[in-house]
Amino acid sequence: MILVTGAAGFIGYHLCEALLARGDRVFGIDNVNAYYDPRLKEARLERLKQRPNFEFRRMDISDRGAMAELAASNQNVTRIAHLAAQAGVRHSLSHPRDYVQANLVGFVEMLEFARHLPALAHFVYASSSSVYGANTKLPFAVEDPADRPLALYGATKKANEAMAYSYSHLFGIPSTGLRFFTVYGPWGRPDMSAFIFTRAILAGEEIAVNNKGEMKRDFTYIDDIVAGVVAALYRPPAAAAGAAPHRLYNLGNHKSEPLMRFIETIEKACGKKARIRFADLPPGDVKETYADIAASARDLGFDPRISIDEGIPRLVAWYRDYHKA
Ligand SMILES: NC(=O)c1ccc[n+]([C@@H]2O[C@H](COP(=O)([O-])OP(=O)(O)OC[C@H]3O[C@@H](n4cnc5c(N)ncnc54)[C@H](O)[C@@H]3O)[C@@H](O)[C@H]2O)c1
C-alpha cells in the first residue's frame, strides 16, 4: 500500500492516477483546504474515488491525534509520497503560520508516522527549486549551496530536507527529497502562472508580467514530474556504511524558458493575444531557475520529454473543457 499525502492536490492527484494505473493500491490523505478553490480538489478526488484500489481519508497531517489513528489502522504502508504542504512563494509573505503548521509541524508528524511503520521501504517527499534562492550558478545542482532561500516557503522546504536527513540517520528510514521545478499541466493550480495567464488571456483580462518579463523558469510538465516521483518511489537509496540512506534530486525539464516565450506559447494555444502590464519583481521571487538533472537521470532514469510547446496546449485544452471557456 502506498500512502500519498496531498492526494487532492495537483501533483498528488496525478501521482495517484499513475500509481493506480500501474496496479498499486493507494491510500490518499488531504485536508482539502481552501488555499485555492476546494471544488477543484473535490473534482480531482471524485475521479480517484471511482477507482477500486483507492481509499481516501480527509485529515490534517499536523493533527497528532488523527495521525495516531492513521498509524493504528495502516501498518501495511510500504511507501510514502509526502506531497501535502502549504505551497506558494508569495502567500508565505502574508500567511507565514500556514507554512509552519503544514510544512514544519505536519512534516514532523509524517516523519514520526514513518518511523513507526514496520513495512516501510521508502519515504519520498516534495522539496522545491525555491531552496536555491538567488543562486546564480546555473543550472542548479543538488550539490550547490542552498541555504539562502528568499522566502519562508523555500525555508520550510530546506528545513524538510534537514529534518528528513536526521530521521534517516537516526532511524535508518530510506528517504528521498525531490526538488520540483515549476510544475504545470491539466488540473493545475489556480495560483500558478500557467493557469493565471490562461484564464486571463481567454477572458480578455490584463496579465501582470513580473520583472518586465526578464525572468526564466524551468517549466516541468506534470507527466514528467509524476514519472520521476514513481521512479523515485521504487528506487530507495541503498544503505551505505557510515552514510544515512537519504538522497536529494532535482526534477525539472532542464530547459530554462524566457517568461515572454512562455506567454507567447499560451497566446498561441488560446488563439488570443495577451493584454500585458509590466510589473516589478515581487519580493521573494527569483529571476531564474534551471535544473541540473544529471543525478536524477543517472539514478532514477528521469527523462523529461514534454516541452512547453506540447504541454501548454494540453493545459489550455483542459482549462477550456473544465471551465467551459
Ligand atoms: N506545483 C509546483 O510547481 C511545485 C514546485 C515545487 C514544489 N512543489 C511541492 O509539491 C507538493 C505538491 O504541490 P501541488 O502543486 O500539488 O500543490 P497543491 O496545493 O495542489 O497540493 C497540496 C495538497 O496538500 C493539501 N494539504 C495542505 N496542507 C495539508 C495538511 N496540513 N494536511 C493534509 N493535507 C494538506 C492541500 O489541500 C492540497 O490538496 C507540495 O509539497 C509543494 O510544495 C510544487
Side-chain angles (χ1 to χ4, degrees):
M1 163 100 78
I2 301 182
L3 181 81
V4 176
T5 74
F10 169 39
I11 301 171
Y13 158 68
H14 284 281
L15 175 65
C16 290
E17 289 274 23
L19 292 171
L20 291 166
R22 295 178 81 252
D24 288 317
R25 284 181 57 218
V26 177
F27 193 103
I29 62 177
D30 200 299
N31 66 356
V32 196
N33 68 37
Y35 166 59
Y36 60 79
D37 191 349
R39 286 173 301 180
L40 180 58
K41 299 180 181 181
E42 297 286 2
R44 295 178 185 131
L45 280 178
E46 270 319 302
R47 293 164 71 93
L48 294 174
K49 284 177 182 169
Q50 287 159 20
R51 306 299 199 101
N53 282 338
F54 182 74
E55 260 182 90
F56 179 73
R57 188 177 297 181
R58 182 172 177 149
M59 58 170 281
D60 191 318
I61 55 157
S62 67
D63 178 338
R64 195 171 159 184
M67 288 300 290
E69 273 174 41
L70 183 76
S73 52
N74 286 284
Q75 291 290 297
N76 56 346
V77 170
T78 51
R79 289 162 218 279
I80 297 175
H82 174 41
L83 306 179
Q86 178 55 56
V89 172
R90 279 171 222 160
H91 189 72
S92 73
L93 277 72
S94 54
H95 294 77
R97 289 171 187 86
D98 293 356
Y99 293 75
V100 172
Q101 195 61 30
N103 304 6
L104 300 180
V105 177
F107 200 86
V108 172
E109 291 300 337
M110 286 304 304
L111 289 172
E112 278 294 309
F113 172 74
R115 175 185 165 189
H116 293 107
L117 285 176
L120 187 72
H122 199 185
F123 178 80
V124 173
Y125 62 95
S127 185
S128 166
S129 60
S130 296
V131 300
Y132 291 108
N135 189 6
T136 49
K137 184 201 142 277
L138 295 163
F140 298 166
V142 278
E143 301 76 33
D144 293 345
D147 44 14
R148 292 185 175 176
L150 297 189
L152 185 69
Y153 168 64
T156 61
K157 289 292 176 180
K158 178 66 188 178
N160 289 167
E161 295 177 356
M163 292 155 99
Y165 182 89
S166 69
Y167 266 62
S168 178
H169 166 74
L170 287 170
F171 309 113
I173 304 172
S175 313
T176 298
L178 300 173
R179 293 174 174 173
F180 299 153
F181 283 65
T182 321
V183 191
Y184 73 98
W187 297 94
R189 264 169 46 201
D191 62 323
M192 292 189 68
S193 64
F195 189 107
I196 292 171
F197 292 158
T198 300
R199 192 199 67 74
I201 291 172
L202 289 173
E205 290 170 16
E206 199 173 72
I207 60 171
V209 176
N210 294 330
N211 206 39
K212 300 172 186 65
E214 306 264 308
M215 292 175 73
K216 288 174 106 183
R217 284 285 179 280
D218 201 334
F219 293 103
T220 318
Y221 190 67
I222 182 67
D223 293 6
D224 286 329
I225 286 288
V226 166
V229 180
V230 173
L233 275 169
Y234 283 94
R235 287 174 176 79
H246 177 270
R247 298 281 179 280
L248 288 171
Y249 295 102
N250 287 335
L251 292 187
N253 193 41
H254 188 54
K255 196 162 194 310
S256 194
E257 300 279 9
L259 179 57
M260 295 314 289
R261 183 175 115 72
F262 182 64
I263 293 170
E264 282 158 20
T265 311
I266 302 176
E267 289 178 322
K268 203 168 140 203
C270 292
K272 233 170 143 177
K273 280 277 167 205
R275 291 173 48 211
I276 289 174
R277 173 174 57 83
F278 287 115
D280 293 336
L281 186 70
D285 267 35
V286 305
K287 288 193 188 128
E288 187 164 354
T289 66
Y290 181 18
D292 180 332
I293 55 168
S296 4
R298 183 193 63 219
D299 296 351
L300 307 178
F302 182 60
D303 178 22
R305 285 156 185 246
I306 313 282
S307 69
I308 60 171
D309 301 291
E310 211 179 322
I312 286 292
R314 296 192 199 174
L315 162 66
V316 171
W318 166 78
Y319 182 93
R320 287 192 128 132
D321 181 51
Y322 184 77
H323 294 273
K324 313 271 174 282

